[in-house]
Amino acid sequence: MRTQVGIVGGGPAGLLLARLLGLAGIETAVLERRTPEYLRARVRAGLLEQGTVDLLAEAGVGERLARERLIHEGVELAFDGGRHRIDLKGLTGRVVTIYGQAEIQKDLMDAHAATGTNVVYEAEDVSLHGLTGDAPRLRYHKGGSSHEIACDFIAGCDGFHGVSRQAIPQEVIRIYERVYPFGWLGILSDTRPVNHELIYANSERGFALCTMRSMTRSRYYLQVPADEDVADWPDARFWTELKRRIPADAAAALQTGPSIEKSVAPLRSFVAEPMRYGRLFLAGDAAHIVPPTGAKGLNLAAADVRFLAAALVAHYSGGDTDLMDGYSARCLQRVWKAQRFSWWMTGLTHRFPEASAFERRAQAAELAYLASSKAAQMTLAENYVGLPL
Ligand code: RFL
Ligand code: PHB
């Protein structure tokens, strides 16, 4: 089989790229390891920048999002018993959107099913070949037989644990990484959100985040040790601990109920440079991971895809390779700003087991400064809503 762009990974990055290329008349084949049912149920991101919302609309998958999304004009920081609202709209003129990643995944899968895009689910043992020549190939197994796809280019959109980044020789890729000594235990429940906007809480028992998927579905996270076992967290323990970490008035208003999903995610900052090797382009979590504190992972993946789609369209429409040549540098500029912000937000809001008394005092002072300084709030707000593209 032959296609123009072979895409490894059918998560949000891979499927969004396939949509943008498809609309420009460029043929793709997407290889995804998981089943459609698994992908539809995967609970991850919830907060989108306006640039991501706009790109989804451009890709023709913005209709349900526009109908069902929640728009947030502010966000709260809670510490030392108090609540402090950052007025995102007032400070930046911009807002953020709440719409679950699982819904984006469904919208993308449905759009591809309707247009007959070649998306192969349950593709096993995907491997990449001939990346430095002009005829790269993808091989995979499905249902006991082997397949090969000849491509012009390959997009590695297969997430942090995928095979695309591994296909780049170690001597040409540079890794920057920080692993945090904690993770996030998250639950989803069909309960009314405790507040109409998000609350990021720094408490002496550790970080907590109150977020949501709709006005009847809540999502809460607790900072836990990196090796925590979810089995040790029955719902009752989760709710009790959450109430201890959020401000008393929020705890009193918290509606609890059975969890419908519960999982632990490790926290990591990671960048692989460059994001291109020959005819392979990495996009999204395949190239970089941020701790979720800044809500930037999916938004960065969407920005990569925007740049990559533009580069491939320019190539196919006139042979112009400038955008392809500049792809990695263009993405990495944005990636590093989001890395810095996510690392900073994590440092501001979490309790680090190794923190000295001095570092703890400095963290408290920084929170107090944020609560009182418009300049500091502006810095947070302009990063949180998303830096200009
Ligand atoms: P994904 O979503 O990991 O998709 C990769 C796809 O590739 C497939 N795959 C393979 N397919 C074929 N062959 C192989 N060998 C393969 N290996 C893997 C996988 O099955 C999968 O379908 O990467 P992508 O598309 O780059 O998207 C990235 C986002 O998923 C990620 O950045 C966000 O979820 C991060 N994130 C958040 N981002 C935001 O922008 N806003 C948020 O509010 C937000 N909250 C979060 C988050 C991530 C979290 N966790 C669980 C880490 C909250 C949490 C708790
Ligand atoms: C979420 O809604 O899951 C979410 C929101 C904001 C974050 C992280 C996760 O910073």
Side-chain angles (χ1 to χ4, degrees):
M1 204 205 124
R2 234 209 87 72
T3 193
Q4 289 177 297
V5 181
I7 300 176
V8 187
L15 293 186
L16 182 57
L17 180 66
R19 272 302 289 177
L20 294 169
L21 296 180
L23 290 171
I26 298 167
E27 200 180 273
T28 60
V30 181
L31 301 180
E32 165 59 49
R33 186 165 66 132
R34 302 284 192 175
T35 64
E37 297 70 38
Y38 178 93
L39 297 170
R40 285 174 188 276
R42 190 160 59 189
V43 181
R44 290 171 92 182
L47 191 129
L48 309 179
E49 299 171 359
Q50 190 57 41
T52 304
V53 171
D54 294 343
L55 190 65
L56 290 165
E58 256 175 62
V61 288
E63 211 175 283
R64 189 163 70 99
L65 187 161
R67 241 186 3 255
E68 296 182 6
R69 72 166 168 163
L70 301 176
I71 292 175
H72 285 188
E73 297 185 353
V75 60
E76 282 190 28
L77 286 179
F79 60 92
D80 220 7
R83 296 168 66 162
H84 307 271
R85 181 169 186 271
I86 312 274
D87 180 6
L88 300 173
K89 176 105 184 276
L91 289 161
T92 66
R94 296 171 77 86
V95 296
V96 291
T97 286
I98 291 287
Y99 188 72
Q101 183 169 332
E103 307 313 310
I104 296 176
Q105 181 80 35
K106 285 181 218 164
D107 294 343
L108 284 164
M109 287 168 64
D110 291 349
H112 282 302
T115 53
T117 311
N118 184 9
V119 184
V120 180
Y121 295 100
E122 296 176 83
E124 292 164 24
D125 312 321
V126 173
S127 57
L128 295 80
H129 306 271
L131 298 175
T132 50
D134 54 12
R137 295 171 313 284
L138 287 172
R139 293 197 188 123
Y140 67 100
H141 294 129
K142 168 134 186 172
S145 50
S146 332
H147 304 264
E148 183 171 288
I149 306 178
C151 321
D152 298 333
F153 300 99
I154 294 176
C157 302
D158 48 348
F160 183 66
H161 299 287
V163 290
S164 301
R165 192 181 64 252
Q166 312 297 340
I168 303 177
Q170 274 184 13
E171 58 279 13
V172 300
I173 198 160
R174 175 127 194 227
I175 302 295
Y176 300 85
E177 185 170 29
R178 164 144 199 201
V179 177
Y180 298 85
F182 41 72
W184 279 15
L185 169 66
I187 70 163
L188 195 64
S189 73
D190 280 327
T191 52
R192 174 174 37 79
V194 67
N195 187 45
H196 70 291
E197 293 172 346
L198 272 56
I199 305 177
Y200 290 80
N202 178 329
S203 94
E204 62 190 26
R205 298 181 66 90
F207 169 78
L209 172 61
C210 307
T211 171
M212 67 196 72
R213 290 293 172 271
S214 70
M215 289 317 289
T216 54
R217 181 166 285 185
S218 304
R219 177 92 169 142
Y220 296 104
Y221 296 102
L222 292 176
Q223 173 187 348
V224 293
D227 55 359
E228 197 77 343
D229 185 352
V230 267
D232 292 334
W233 285 87
D235 291 355
R237 179 177 176 205
F238 186 95
W239 293 119
T240 304
E241 184 61 28
L242 179 64
K243 283 184 189 170
R244 289 181 173 159
R245 295 190 190 189
I246 62 179
D249 55 342
L254 182 73
Q255 186 188 4
T256 63
S259 64
I260 50 179
E261 196 267 351
K262 197 186 284 159
S263 51
V264 178
L267 261 64
R268 184 192 297 273
S269 300
F270 177 96
V271 182
E273 292 188 9
M275 289 170 59
R276 175 188 184 175
Y277 176 66
R279 291 194 167 228
L280 167 66
F281 295 85
L282 299 178
D285 279 13
H288 40 76
I289 292 285
V290 284
T293 328
K296 288 287 168 251
L298 180 57
N299 292 301
L300 276 183
D304 291 351
V305 165
R306 176 193 291 274
F307 298 152
L308 184 52
L312 290 165
V313 169
H315 168 79
Y316 282 110
S317 56
D320 182 352
T321 62
D322 285 1
L323 290 179
M324 282 203 303
D325 294 340
Y327 169 75
S328 176
R330 194 177 178 195
C331 291
L332 286 167
Q333 265 196 15
R334 188 173 186 82
V335 165
W336 275 110
K337 287 178 188 160
Q339 285 290 353
R340 185 210 65 83
F341 176 65
S342 305
W343 161 80
W344 173 78
M345 274 284 279
T346 305
L348 180 75
T349 52
H350 289 65
R351 292 296 172 118
F352 287 71
E354 75 278 14
S356 64
F358 178 89
E359 286 162 331
R360 180 53 214 125
R361 278 279 205 268
Q363 187 194 52
E366 184 156 23
L367 285 162
Y369 171 56
L370 250 170
S372 64
S373 159
K374 199 166 173 187
Q377 291 174 12
M378 179 63 144
T379 300
L380 188 155
E382 70 173 355
N383 283 278
Y384 194 77
V385 300
L387 293 170
L389 280 156

XYZ file of all heavy atoms in Angstrom, residues 45 50 72 168 176 179 192 206 215-216 237-238 241 256-257 270 328 337:
149
model
N -7.062 15.071 29.314
C -7.123 16.533 29.434
C -8.552 17.061 29.537
O -9.517 16.394 29.153
C -6.450 17.166 28.226
N -7.782 28.842 23.581
C -8.607 29.259 22.451
C -7.988 28.805 21.116
O -8.704 28.435 20.186
C -8.809 30.779 22.468
C -9.835 31.278 21.471
C -11.218 30.641 21.650
O -11.676 30.455 22.770
N -11.862 30.271 20.551
N -14.496 29.424 30.833
C -14.060 29.938 32.138
C -13.296 31.244 31.964
O -12.326 31.298 31.220
C -13.176 28.912 32.849
C -13.964 27.763 33.403
N -13.407 26.805 34.216
C -15.273 27.441 33.276
C -14.343 25.937 34.563
N -15.478 26.291 33.998
N 14.646 7.104 16.237
C 15.699 8.089 15.953
C 16.968 7.653 16.685
O 16.924 7.375 17.882
C 15.260 9.492 16.434
C 13.924 9.885 15.770
C 16.347 10.528 16.153
C 13.355 11.226 16.230
N 15.967 16.178 27.407
C 15.964 17.008 28.620
C 14.820 16.495 29.485
O 13.677 16.420 29.010
C 15.713 18.472 28.263
C 16.755 19.052 27.333
C 16.635 18.889 25.954
C 17.854 19.743 27.829
C 17.590 19.410 25.095
C 18.810 20.272 26.978
C 18.667 20.101 25.609
O 19.612 20.616 24.753
N 11.931 14.283 36.416
C 10.870 13.419 36.934
C 10.540 13.916 38.332
O 11.446 14.185 39.122
C 11.332 11.942 36.948
C 10.256 11.052 37.550
C 11.658 11.484 35.527
N -22.010 17.521 41.060
C -21.916 18.930 40.692
C -20.532 19.454 41.070
O -20.065 19.204 42.185
C -23.021 19.665 41.467
C -23.039 21.166 41.360
C -24.283 21.743 42.053
N -24.686 21.039 43.285
C -24.113 21.204 44.472
N -23.108 22.015 44.641
N -24.545 20.518 45.520
N -0.551 18.561 50.742
C -0.233 18.336 49.331
C -1.217 19.068 48.435
O -2.217 19.620 48.884
N -21.368 20.641 34.051
C -21.932 21.104 35.317
C -22.516 19.952 36.141
O -22.981 20.152 37.256
C -22.989 22.198 35.074
C -22.371 23.525 34.595
S -20.856 24.018 35.474
C -21.537 24.473 37.053
N -22.442 18.736 35.589
C -22.897 17.575 36.372
C -21.802 16.515 36.511
O -22.044 15.436 37.052
C -24.126 16.910 35.712
O -23.792 16.609 34.345
C -25.344 17.831 35.739
N -11.964 7.421 51.076
C -10.671 7.992 51.462
C -10.340 9.196 50.584
O -9.822 10.207 51.071
C -9.560 6.932 51.345
C -8.214 7.487 51.721
C -7.092 6.465 51.697
N -5.823 7.133 51.981
C -4.639 6.695 51.597
N -4.542 5.556 50.919
N -3.554 7.377 51.875
N -10.637 9.089 49.300
C -10.353 10.192 48.378
C -11.109 11.454 48.809
O -10.527 12.540 48.930
C -10.748 9.811 46.938
C -10.345 10.857 45.935
C -9.154 10.756 45.239
C -11.133 11.992 45.727
C -8.755 11.755 44.338
C -10.748 12.996 44.839
C -9.552 12.870 44.146
N -9.802 13.045 52.004
C -8.512 13.718 51.815
C -8.700 15.027 51.020
O -8.097 16.056 51.350
C -7.544 12.779 51.089
C -6.136 13.329 50.914
C -5.427 13.634 52.231
O -5.723 12.989 53.251
O -4.558 14.556 52.235
N -20.188 14.745 47.053
C -19.420 13.520 46.800
C -20.349 12.468 46.195
O -21.570 12.604 46.252
C -18.801 12.972 48.104
O -19.864 12.618 48.991
C -17.916 14.014 48.772
N -19.735 11.452 45.619
C -20.527 10.381 45.000
C -19.588 9.322 44.480
O -18.368 9.489 44.566
N 9.653 16.678 29.997
C 10.500 15.937 29.050
C 10.474 16.622 27.692
O 9.405 16.993 27.211
C 9.937 14.509 28.925
C 10.650 13.632 27.924
C 11.654 12.764 28.336
C 10.301 13.660 26.573
C 12.302 11.938 27.411
C 10.946 12.845 25.645
C 11.946 11.978 26.076
N 10.880 21.968 13.533
C 11.329 21.628 14.883
C 11.605 22.895 15.705
O 11.122 23.031 16.843
C 12.595 20.760 14.795
O 13.083 20.495 16.072
N 8.558 27.357 26.302
C 7.817 28.330 27.126
C 6.752 27.608 27.954
O 6.533 27.937 29.123
C 7.190 29.402 26.239
C 8.234 30.360 25.695
C 7.584 31.383 24.777
C 8.643 32.223 24.082
N 8.124 32.872 22.885
